[in-house]
Amino acid sequence: MPSKTSANSQLTGSESGGVDKVRRLETDVLIVGGGTAGVTAALAAAANGTTRVLLADSSGGIGGVGTHSGIHAYYLGLHVGVQTEMDKRIWTKADELKSKAKGFHPEAKKIVLLELLQESGVEILYECVAVEVLMEDRRVTGVVFESPTETIRVDARITLDSTGNGDICTLAGVSYSDGRQWDGVMHCYSVPPRYLNDKGLADFRNFDAGWVDPSSTRDVTRALISGRQLLWQLPQLANDGFIAIPPLLGVREGRLFHGEYTLTLEDLIMDQRFDDVVMKCFSHYDTHAKDMANESQLAQWWTEVMGAWSQRVGCDVPYRSFVPKATEGLLIACRALSLDHDAAAALRMQPDMHAVGEVAGTAAAMCCETGQQPRVLDVVTLQNRLVERGVLHQDDLTRDSAPWVTMFESKREERLWTLATVQQPESLHKLAGALGTDEEGKALWWLWKAGDKALPVLKDLYENSTGRPRRGAAIALGLLGDRTGVPELIRAVEQEDADGLPGFESRIPPSWLGCLVTLKHLKETSCVRIVLAKLETDVTVARLPGFARTLHILQYLIEVTPHLSEATRKETIRSVELLLADPDLGKYWGGGLMAPVSIRWNLDMTASYLLGILGRHESAKQILEQYQNDDRKYARNMSNILTSRLSEATPFIGTGRVNQA
């Protein structure tokens, strides 16, 4: 392997023959990664005809998940800008190929994207792996790549990270978050096979194959092998219609980098407006996690309490989310945008990623035109350019926010339900009146947002109602930190109220779990013996997998353990140890597979953390150590996170960390 070079080194080498060859290139805009966002970034950067653009990709093809991961259909997201031209040409090309596919034709898209790049004068480098980022102080000045036969140094005025996992940002030292706070786990991955469906269309099955840490080559290799082994248990492949296995994983989340603004799920729900808007996004909280007890409090409230998993959300995406902190010469141009883990479940759709690339490419070209760094680029001029390109509409620059959660058949455009309106007495009474109805989940959202002003109305409803309205009032009070409704919440948990709110059926839990989540928020200990009895049975309730219910119970116990008596602690230890002795613990049936993908690793370590804070330090340490050399990096990550967390809570747990490779 040739030695790496710094920004000030003099590169020399032969232009022909030998593995020691070194080549030096210069460009205005360098895009690293030719995936969903990278292609549109290159097209946008080259649009003015004067900016030199180079697109480098580590594989032998472009297009990302739509062409190389087998997901050749658009789900949600907004179709804007250059995508409209792309789609028209893809449909025409598919007709020329005389082949039909569900969604768009992946081979037609490959051809069209390459044609568009060539027509735009974009230089493409395949099979180039980024190994070093060239820096002058905190400014990125280029990237060094390794290919099979040479080292290539590309000096660039502006660099865009379109790698998906933020490899360039990582090499540049930009700080990031990865996975959820509890265990570091990211969204499930897929390996969607392509097959002929009963209509003769090339189709795909986007099933969940488990978990992966996409920053680890070893873990990606393991995931590809294990995921492909599961394919043959899909019912769609039982006939002779199999066509192909995708060469790349369908990765839904990787590193998320810290930019000048971090977009949140609440921003998306509330349709947050930003003065520096450069695009809009549209989806829902499309997490594939079924272990929702391990997600954030807001995510649990949104799904487990409010039943709103399929509720549409979306908002402005600010330019600041593209600009990494404390780094110049670099823009984030992929799903590694400055988002939190919850928002990343929604802002990842292919159409929105096309827009992300177009925004970043347009901004990069403007930086080259003006000589400015991305951080100080004139956003108003950028917005006007994006309006011209069709990424934004003129109204997007001045519109009012229109939150997505509406009530009683009202429309978002009417703006009847906003932070300014929900605290009005008339609105509070209407919202309280919706508790116990099919609109309870939406009412709970707005009653929570209304804050303490909702308490008198909710207490009155609780005292003067029965059945579902009383239970709904108890939940709403609990979310606001009020304990008035605790007896009703405990009753619902004990009796396992199984009714759920209307919605996407497989994502709607029984209502008693929403009550348990609320009791956890209140740190209410009087429900402990009730849930311990349930923990020892670990049975499936309604549509909910048993492991999901078990994790909710474990997380509730973790939250209330500091407030338990010594006798109750001993009871809890006994129940947890019985749970861990179950050889069938954690069977996970996901994505329509006929064979289970086990989630025991997560149950084991979550239970071990509970044992640790209950005083069984050695038991906790032994369980966590079992996973510190696991071949699954996400399991090693969780082991390290919980070991570190326990070391802060007790001196009995070691602080050593294993190799993160």
Side-chain angles (χ1 to χ4, degrees), residues 16 63 109 145 150 278 322 406 468 490 537 576 604 606 624:
S16 62
K109 187 167 186 176
F145 300 90
E150 62 182 354
V278 286
F322 291 75
T406 59
R468 290 182 62 185
I490 293 175
T537 60
V576 173
D604 277 350
T606 299
L624 291 171

Side-chain angles (χ1 to χ4, degrees), residues 5 21 26 74 128 145 153 222 244 280 394 416 441 463 498 514 522 541 580 626-627 639 660:
T5 58
K21 182 172 61 174
E26 292 185 2
Y74 298 130
C128 291
F145 300 90
R153 168 176 171 160
R222 177 205 55 77
K280 295 194 300 182
Q394 192 66 45
L416 300 178
E463 294 298 331
L522 292 170
V541 177
L580 290 172
Q626 290 175 8
Y627 289 97
S639 174
Q660 293 296 296

